Structure formats: C-alpha cells, structure tokens
Amino acid sequence: MSYSPFSPIKRHSPRVTVIGAGKVGSTLAQRIAEKNLADVVLLDVVEGMPRGLALDLMEARGIELHNRRIIGTTDYADTSGSDIVVITAGFPRKPGMTRDDLLLTNAKIVVEAANKAMTYSPDAIYIIVTNPLDVMTYLAWQATGLPGDRIMGMAGVLDSARFETFIAMELGVCSLDVKAMVLGGHGDLMVPLPRYATVNGIPITELLDAATIERLVERTRNGGAEIVELMQTGGAFYTPASSTCVMVESILLNQSRLLPVAAYLQGEYGLNDIFIGVPSRLGSSGIEEVVELKLSDVERDALHTSAQEVRKNITRA
C-alpha cells in the first residue's frame, strides 16, 4: 500500500490549521511541528506553494527529531477537524504604512477565511494574526458568531516581547530575566506598563530613569515599523510566529498561561463589545479568564484612548 503525506488518514493527534503560508504562517507551521505540539495544515490560495513548503518541512522531520505531519493545501476541506485555526493571511505592511492602512484590504480576506474554516472546524479555537489585528479579530468574531472565549488576537505577546528585548538591551541583562506587559490595541497607541516590567523581580522603575523608560516605551510602540523600515520588502515574522506559537502551546497543553492577548471585553477595564489586548489565561477551552490589573488613572485613560482608535477602525471597516 503506497503512502502519501497528503492523503487523509485517521488522526489521533491535535491538528492546527494555519491560513496564510507567507513568512509568518510558514514559520509558525515550523515552530508548531518542531516543538512537537500538533500536526499542521498549511493553507494558502497560491497553488503549489503550501504543498511545497509542507513537503520541505516534512523532509526535515528526521533531522529535527519529530514525526508531525505537515499538509500543504489550497482546499479548506483538508483543514477539517482542527483544534486551533490561526489566520495570518493578508497583505503585509510596506515602509511608510501603518497597520491601519491595511484595514479595508485585509478585512475581506480574514472574514472569508474565518467563515470557510468554520465550515470544517466549527469547534476550533481561532487566533487572528492579520493586521490591523484588533479590528480583524472583531470582524472575524462578528462574521462567525463564535463565543468570545474561542476567538482572540495575537498582539500583546509580541509587543511585550519587544518591550522585554529593549529593556534587556538597555540594561545589558539576560532576556530570560525580563518580564513585561503591554496592553491595548496593536498600534501606535498600545500601552506598555513600566510598573509591571521587572528584571528578575526588580521593577525597572528602580533600574532606569523616567526618560530612558519613556524612550523604550516609544520604541516598543514603533517596534514593527522599525523592522519594516529596515527590511524594506516586508515586516517581522520570527517573533510574531513565536508569539503565536506560545498561545497555541498554552491552549493545546492546557497550561493556563497568563498572556496578553486581544480578548473580547464585556465590562472589564470599563470597556464593552471590543477586542483589545489584556492579560488572559489561555487553556484548552480558549480564554479561561480575563485578568483585570489595577491601573493608574493615566494607564486606564491610555487604554481607553487605544480602544477608541480600535472602535473607529471597526466603523471604517
């Protein structure tokens, strides 16, 4: 009996579908498989490309010491029964563009992808990565009718990782010792929280002066644009893929990790009917709990200002 890696077989393993086989999507597929988290279906509209990428990843399995199946396809039927669906499809930023400049272009792509995936994986948990992320998550939720705890956006993990990196670089310390939290929309009005940033438990407010902290906060807000300007032909993809993988891992392994994600709020932080970055516990059922931090008046006002910008873009879309 001949065997094809693309032929359907009975599954006993978790399955993650990644919609969009660009740099973020293909890197995420690699991360998931090589961490031995799940079998992966990599879907894209470009004929041949996802199958080529999947075959390339399959050929690396013996070297990377895992036996996960990676399927490349253009057919949503191949995504059937996924435990998690990640949507990365859409156009990336170019130099001079903001995330919001992608709004109208990517809205149709994300909504169509979410609806098609729902046909084959109605019980999956959905993670949206396409920019502008908070708005795309809201539109996908609205279109699919998913419960708010089963759909979320990836942003806070990425933005917090950037804040942590800049703190570590400034202090010359190991990144593993730095923990930080960034709330709000994934845009220029995101809300890094210096009070909740520590180096091995020591608040950065005791290690850095106010001017330096503000400089690092601004660099975090512009972290994506900095990479776009340097690369010229695309944006970040390694850290977005790693950030999404952390979320996938927490859900599949039911780790209940406390991570900042774009979650649906129903009164938390004084906000309603919006997806925006807040700390949330992620487990096998999706968002298990939204954690409300005690914010100062300034921090709360900044979060609400960020939310107003997200609402404005939802109306535009």
Side-chain angles (χ1 to χ4, degrees), residues 5 9 14 49 84 89 106 130 155 168 183 190 203 228 241 284 286 298:
I9 62 173
M49 182 181 70
I84 298 176
N106 286 343
T130 307
L183 308 186
M190 67 180 69
V228 170
S284 59
V298 171

Side-chain angles (χ1 to χ4, degrees), residues 90-129:
F91 289 94
R93 275 200 290 175
K94 296 179 181 179
M97 294 177 68
T98 67
R99 296 178 181 93
D100 294 339
D101 290 334
L102 302 171
L103 180 62
L104 300 180
T105 305
N106 286 343
K108 182 179 178 181
I109 295 172
V110 169
V111 168
E112 181 179 349
N115 280 327
K116 287 183 176 179
M118 276 286 290
T119 301
Y120 296 98
S121 300
D123 299 321
I125 293 166
Y126 286 70
I127 301 174
I128 312 301
V129 180

Side-chain angles (χ1 to χ4, degrees), residues 128 133-134 153-160 182 184-186 243 247 260-262 277:
I128 312 301
L133 185 141
D134 311 272
M154 184 291 298
V157 178
L158 168 62
D159 296 326
S160 298
V182 177
H186 185 50
S243 300
M247 296 168 65
V261 304

Side-chain angles (χ1 to χ4, degrees), residues 177-225:
D177 288 338
V178 183
K179 298 298 177 186
M181 180 71 66
V182 177
L183 308 186
H186 185 50
D188 298 340
L189 295 175
M190 67 180 69
V191 187
L193 297 176
R195 288 195 306 121
Y196 288 94
T198 62
V199 179
N200 203 16
I202 303 170
I204 64 165
T205 50
E206 296 185 18
L207 300 171
L208 296 167
D209 59 54
T212 300
I213 291 173
E214 183 57 31
R215 173 167 52 80
L216 300 182
V217 164
E218 283 304 309
R219 190 177 183 187
T220 300
R221 289 179 175 139
N222 296 307

